[in-house]
Amino acid sequence: MKFVHTVLALAAGLSVAIASGESPSVRRLFRRNTTPSDVNGFKGAILLKNGQQTSCEVALMRNTYGFVAASCLDYLDKDAKSVNQSTIYEVAISGGNQVSYGTVMVSRVTPNPRYDPKTFANNLAVVEFTGNGGRYEFVNYIASWRPDWSSMYYVRRSMVSTMWNMPVVAPYTESSEDLAGCARANRLFLQNQKDMMCNKMSTPSPLNSTCSVPYGSVYGVNGVNIAIAALYSHSAIYGDNICGGNVYNYYTVMENYVHWAMSVLKTRVPVYHSRVAEYTENMNPEYTMTIPGQPSDIDGVKVVGGDIYRIKTEEVPKAEPEAKEGEKEKKGGLSIPAIVAIVLGALLVLGLALYLYRKKQKGKLGELSRVRKWWMFGGMGNRNSQGPPAYPTHY
Ligand SMILES: *[C@@H]1O[C@H](CO)[C@@H](O)[C@H](O)[C@H]1NC(C)=O
Ligand SMILES: *[C@@H]1O[C@H](CO)[C@@H](O)[C@H](O)[C@H]1NC(C)=O
């Protein structure tokens, strides 16, 4: 039971909980119609640096703290260990629609100690604000159970001076083609699909309508409920055109970092999930993604992150400066297509061997072998099972 936190208190199969076992508070924040306009009912926030809005959205947890991408902060060193405290950080909070909820000073930023600025692994920071979140206390919830999310809303919040624009909201359901392209373009995603989301969707930059930018945040949709699930992390660009070329955008799923945030904040934080027996919480405050070895980037692909409004095409780093040298050969130089070919070849041989084996058994196994076929391809087996749909690609 220690690692399985099951909440039984709420009807309708839904739980709003405080991470790590505190009794759930009964709130009705999450019963929506679940249309994209419902996102307007949630408070949202963006990070300001030196008085200017950035593309970086803040995932609010309460009126005094939230998550932001670690890549959105300024650092004094290349390893992103010490934050530039001379930059003025503020958080502008919207009432959910175009109503301003005030702008507050940031009192402390804590990048995840396992944030890797080269690959954008563990790209989250906890941001704490002074004051009272503009007016009065509120709670927003982090979506903490990925199997809940039957689809997603990608959201871009932005301002014109101190006025909020209507959030841009794009519904999206993951497709296997998108995921395959996302995995080809970025090793971090390839190795950490349960902690990331990705697609090619973009929206016009509020600062330059001819330049497309990623969305800022992602909400998980669960029946009539929605909750914030992921924040923009980085983009992988084939070629030079960050504004509308062949660009994949990656988002960090926050659920595995909730207990790290708790260790920073020294308090429990609000999470949202379905009331299902399988619900588990990652309670490791030192949780880390798998950080890809060298070369971490794919040939011909440039990776950028942070405040995407201000990255100019000419500033996009040159593709794979080190990838061609040394390391690649040391690793054996297997390209992704080569690995795929080897795996497919191995599966083919295995399949043939099984076929011959079965033939030899001359139907002795009968039904059993049919069952076993499904067991072998187990990940897909849940499709016909009951209850909430399993997350087909990641679990
Ligand atoms: C730190 O931030 C200040 C204000 O944004 C800036 O002027 C300064 O150049 C930054 N320092 C470094 C080392 O980047
Ligand atoms: C706006 O974006 C376009 C690319 O689509 C770029 O050529 C142009 O320089 C940008 N304008 C500004 C003011 O940054």
Side-chain angles (χ1 to χ4, degrees), residues 207-212 241 243-244 312-313:
L207 305 190
N208 180 353
S209 59
T210 63
C211 185
S212 293
N241 186 3
C243 279
K312 301 267 191 304
T313 300

Short mmCIF file of all heavy atoms in Angstrom, two decimals, residues 207-212 241 243-244 312-313, ligand 2:
data_model
loop_
_atom_site.label_atom_id
_atom_site.label_comp_id
_atom_site.label_asym_id
_atom_site.label_seq_id
_atom_site.Cartn_x
_atom_site.Cartn_y
_atom_site.Cartn_z
N LEU A 207 3.96 37.48 -30.91
CA LEU A 207 4.84 38.60 -31.21
C LEU A 207 5.14 38.73 -32.70
O LEU A 207 5.73 39.71 -33.14
CB LEU A 207 6.17 38.45 -30.44
CG LEU A 207 6.10 38.28 -28.93
CD1 LEU A 207 7.49 38.41 -28.31
CD2 LEU A 207 5.15 39.29 -28.30
N ASN A 208 4.80 37.70 -33.49
CA ASN A 208 5.12 37.71 -34.92
C ASN A 208 4.21 36.70 -35.61
O ASN A 208 4.49 35.50 -35.60
CB ASN A 208 6.60 37.35 -35.11
CG ASN A 208 6.99 37.34 -36.57
OD1 ASN A 208 6.15 37.48 -37.47
ND2 ASN A 208 8.29 37.19 -36.83
N SER A 209 3.15 37.22 -36.22
CA SER A 209 2.11 36.31 -36.72
C SER A 209 2.59 35.44 -37.88
O SER A 209 1.94 34.46 -38.22
CB SER A 209 0.87 37.10 -37.14
OG SER A 209 1.24 38.02 -38.15
N THR A 210 3.74 35.77 -38.49
CA THR A 210 4.22 34.91 -39.57
C THR A 210 5.18 33.83 -39.06
O THR A 210 5.72 33.06 -39.84
CB THR A 210 4.92 35.71 -40.69
OG1 THR A 210 6.08 36.34 -40.14
CG2 THR A 210 3.98 36.77 -41.27
N CYS A 211 5.39 33.80 -37.76
CA CYS A 211 6.27 32.78 -37.18
C CYS A 211 5.45 31.83 -36.31
O CYS A 211 4.77 32.27 -35.38
CB CYS A 211 7.37 33.43 -36.34
SG CYS A 211 8.59 32.27 -35.71
N SER A 212 5.49 30.54 -36.61
CA SER A 212 4.76 29.56 -35.80
C SER A 212 5.59 29.15 -34.61
O SER A 212 6.80 28.97 -34.73
CB SER A 212 4.44 28.32 -36.63
OG SER A 212 3.53 28.65 -37.63
N ASN A 241 14.54 26.42 -40.38
CA ASN A 241 13.34 27.23 -40.24
C ASN A 241 12.55 26.87 -38.99
O ASN A 241 11.72 25.96 -38.99
CB ASN A 241 12.46 27.08 -41.49
CG ASN A 241 11.27 28.02 -41.46
OD1 ASN A 241 11.12 28.81 -40.53
ND2 ASN A 241 10.44 27.92 -42.47
N CYS A 243 10.40 28.79 -37.68
CA CYS A 243 9.11 29.47 -37.75
C CYS A 243 8.02 28.70 -38.50
O CYS A 243 6.89 29.17 -38.58
CB CYS A 243 9.27 30.83 -38.42
SG CYS A 243 9.89 32.10 -37.32
N GLY A 244 8.30 27.60 -39.06
CA GLY A 244 7.24 26.93 -39.81
C GLY A 244 7.80 25.83 -40.68
O GLY A 244 7.14 25.34 -41.60
N LYS A 312 15.98 33.58 -32.67
CA LYS A 312 15.99 33.94 -34.08
C LYS A 312 16.58 32.77 -34.86
O LYS A 312 17.44 32.05 -34.35
CB LYS A 312 16.85 35.18 -34.30
CG LYS A 312 16.38 36.40 -33.52
CD LYS A 312 15.43 37.24 -34.36
CE LYS A 312 15.14 38.60 -33.73
NZ LYS A 312 14.62 38.53 -32.37
N THR A 313 16.12 32.64 -36.10
CA THR A 313 16.61 31.52 -36.91
C THR A 313 18.14 31.48 -36.95
O THR A 313 18.74 30.43 -36.84
CB THR A 313 16.04 31.64 -38.33
OG1 THR A 313 14.63 31.59 -38.23
CG2 THR A 313 16.51 30.50 -39.20
C1 LIG B 2 8.76 37.16 -38.12
O1 LIG B 2 8.94 35.84 -38.61
C2 LIG B 2 9.47 35.73 -39.91
C3 LIG B 2 9.57 34.26 -40.26
O2 LIG B 2 8.35 33.71 -40.58
C4 LIG B 2 10.83 36.39 -39.99
O3 LIG B 2 11.31 36.34 -41.31
C5 LIG B 2 10.76 37.83 -39.50
O4 LIG B 2 12.04 38.39 -39.46
C6 LIG B 2 10.11 37.89 -38.13
N1 LIG B 2 9.92 39.27 -37.73
C7 LIG B 2 10.43 39.77 -36.61
C8 LIG B 2 10.12 41.20 -36.35
O5 LIG B 2 11.11 39.12 -35.86
#
